[in-house]
Amino acid sequence: MRIVVAHNRYREAQPSGENTIVDAEIAQLTAAGVEVLPFLRSSDEIPTMPRTAKALLPISPIYAPRAQQELGRLLTEHRPDVLHLHNPYPLLSPWVVRTAHRHGVPVVQTVHNYRQVCSSGLYFRDGMICQDCRGRALGVPAVVHRCYRGSRAQSALMATTLAVHRGTWKSVDRFIALTTAVADHLRDYGIPDSRIVVKPNGIPDPGAPAPLGQGFLFLGRLSPEKGLDLLVEAWRRHPDGALGPLRVAGDGELRPLVEALAAERSDVAYLGPLDRAGVRQALADSAVVLATSTWHDVLPTVIIEALASGRPVLGTALGGIPYLVGADTPREPAGTGPAVAASASAPAVSGAVPGSSAPDSGDRPDAGSSVPGNAAGQRWAVPAGVMTGEAGWVVPPEPAALAAALPMAAAGASALSTAARLRYERNFHPDTVTKRLIDIYAGLRR
């Protein structure tokens, strides 16, 4: 089997989980015996481009002539079975889909964000979830609010690109949705179920989990959409030391907020940015990992890292988080329902997670019930608004709900630790996801 993997790499100065995933996927496919032909461009090339090439950059998201010529030659010479597209912007353009089809090559795209509809790709603006461009022929609100790179001109170009390529995207042969929330987004965009496959990313197996540590770990970018404000407000509702330690690792614009909290309380430690060894140690030291995003976070890799390390996760009921912890039915899908219902200004907690139509009747405990406790035999009640999944819990993105869930998660971590690791092995291990990806390719070979 011969596969072209097409991806416009994000700038190296801008850490990108997507770049990491593409590199890992290429390595995993190669190890599985697939012949991979990388068709890669990098935004780092832009500063060194000749003046003539730079002159064409404004139109490259719509049509990138050099990329189409080079891809055409590659397809003619190697006659691959499938082209697998990740990010096309700005140097490849969605036009690569048309180029592949012109050469008789089917196209798979992994959907890493919401850029079929949203110019920024995030469904997030000014600290809140925003779906103002959903359902519009042209995303005028994105231009008004400078949603793409803070520029009206660039936002106008991206909004135009999305309008021009609506038909291009709808011609893709198979979409890989990283979670059920992304699948819902694609359905809302008009993609039929028959062309959507849910396949998450995988991460390398770190090995047998260390014994469960203590307290909570927040690991990620310290930025507003990651819910630092939400976490800080919820944590402050408990006395110092009542929940065990809170470790915060990462860097970003909200670093001063975390540093101030660590100076104020003895139960908060700011670890700063960590290398891979530091991440492993922080996971080993902790019992529960926090994923408190206030946007529809597509697939926070930190959750998969937590599960691989046998750490359950307490997160918000947005984006891919419920899917990752096994609590995605019912859920609040990205791109569906009114924006206000999915925003961080959700109503006060009073029952099930917002967006649910009825209490879950499966094996998960309902709010207010008592569920098995920790190794010491302690039991705890599930607060209203909390949904328990196979490997963790999700709550509405509001401080009262998160504050109520924190002591429950601290007490219940040991009961879900083994289940967290098993969920990783079944759903996110590289062997599992690579086999599923090869099966997707095989279903499209002509």
Side-chain angles (χ1 to χ4, degrees):
M1 183 180 292
R2 181 176 296 149
I3 306 297
V4 172
V5 174
H7 177 56
N8 189 128
R9 298 180 67 84
Y10 296 90
R11 291 180 294 113
E12 291 302 322
Q14 174 187 338
S16 166
E18 195 169 326
N19 286 351
T20 302
I21 289 299
V22 171
D23 293 343
E25 202 165 81
I26 289 173
Q28 291 158 9
L29 287 168
T30 302
V34 176
E35 182 182 354
V36 178
L37 304 172
F39 185 69
L40 307 177
R41 297 294 179 271
S42 173
S43 293
D44 285 330
E45 299 170 19
I46 294 173
T48 60
M49 282 181 170
R51 189 171 299 175
T52 52
K54 285 184 179 178
L56 295 173
L57 276 175
I59 67 164
S60 64
I62 297 175
Y63 180 73
R66 180 182 171 189
Q68 308 321 308
Q69 293 164 6
E70 293 176 349
L71 178 61
R73 288 196 292 269
L74 179 70
L75 299 177
T76 298
E77 179 180 353
H78 294 282
R79 302 184 61 83
D81 297 295
V82 175
L83 182 142
H84 185 168
L85 174 63
H86 291 269
N87 172 47
Y89 301 114
L91 300 179
L92 296 183
S93 162
W95 208 282
V96 297
V97 176
R98 302 188 188 190
T99 300
H101 284 162
R102 192 173 69 250
H103 285 78
V105 178
V107 176
V108 170
Q109 195 212 2
T110 296
V111 181
H112 294 272
N113 52 48
Y114 306 110
R115 195 162 276 148
Q116 287 80 12
V117 174
C118 175
S119 290
S120 75
L122 300 177
Y123 277 151
F124 192 81
R125 175 177 59 80
D126 297 333
M128 293 184 64
I129 288 171
C130 171
Q131 298 174 357
D132 289 352
C133 293
R134 176 173 161 256
R136 293 175 179 262
L138 182 66
V140 174
V143 182
V144 172
H145 297 291
R146 301 180 175 92
C147 289
Y148 189 66
R149 298 184 177 177
S151 163
R152 276 212 175 107
Q154 293 195 59
S155 297
L157 175 62
M158 182 55 69
T160 302
T161 299
L162 299 184
V164 167
H165 282 297
R166 187 170 288 110
T168 305
W169 289 128
K170 292 188 176 182
S171 74
V172 169
D173 299 274
R174 195 75 79 244
F175 285 98
I176 294 177
L178 295 177
T179 69
T180 48
V182 174
D184 288 326
H185 155 74
L186 290 169
R187 291 186 194 99
D188 187 65
Y189 185 65
I191 306 300
D193 280 345
S194 61
R195 288 198 278 131
I196 302 171
V197 178
V198 176
K199 184 207 73 70
N201 296 327
I203 65 166
D205 190 341
L212 208 62
Q214 292 184 326
F216 296 84
L217 173 65
F218 179 98
L219 174 65
R221 189 168 61 252
L222 307 185
S223 55
E225 74 277 6
K226 290 296 185 178
L228 260 297
D229 289 321
L230 170 65
L231 173 57
V232 168
E233 185 173 345
W235 195 264
R236 280 182 169 144
R237 296 190 181 202
H238 294 276
D240 196 330
L243 299 170
L246 168 63
R247 301 173 183 87
V248 180
D251 206 352
E253 62 190 282
L254 294 185
R255 176 173 178 165
L257 176 68
V258 179
E259 290 176 329
L261 185 67
E264 169 191 324
R265 297 179 59 120
S266 64
D267 60 355
V268 177
Y270 175 54
L271 307 180
L274 299 177
D275 58 15
R276 294 310 308 165
V279 169
R280 287 193 295 272
Q281 187 59 55
L283 285 165
D285 291 340
S286 304
V288 178
V289 171
L290 295 162
T292 55
S293 295
T294 53
W295 71 292
H296 283 297
D297 210 339
V298 175
L299 189 138
T301 303
V302 64
I303 296 182
I304 305 178
E305 290 180 300
L307 303 184
S309 299
R311 270 53 180 169
V313 174
L314 172 60
T316 46
L318 291 172
I321 296 172
Y323 167 82
L324 291 172
V325 304
D328 63 330
T329 305
R331 64 182 177 276
E332 181 86 64
T336 61
V340 68
S343 75
S345 58
V349 181
S350 60
V353 173
S356 62
S357 57
D360 183 21
S361 58
D363 294 332
R364 302 187 193 99
D366 294 326
S369 67
S370 178
V371 295
N374 57 21
Q378 182 182 4
R379 298 172 69 85
W380 68 93
V382 179
V386 176
M387 185 64 64
T388 303
E390 179 185 3
W393 312 265
V394 293
V395 299
E398 67 97 25
L402 182 58
L406 285 167
M408 176 207 66
S414 61
L416 293 187
S417 176
T418 299
R421 172 66 189 184
L422 289 175
R423 182 163 179 80
Y424 161 76
E425 292 174 355
R426 286 198 310 269
N427 297 281
F428 310 113
H429 192 282
D431 293 348
T432 300
V433 297
T434 302
K435 180 181 183 304
R436 289 167 68 183
L437 182 56
I438 293 171
D439 288 345
I440 293 168
Y441 295 156
L444 292 174
R445 294 175 74 176
R446 294 175 178 172

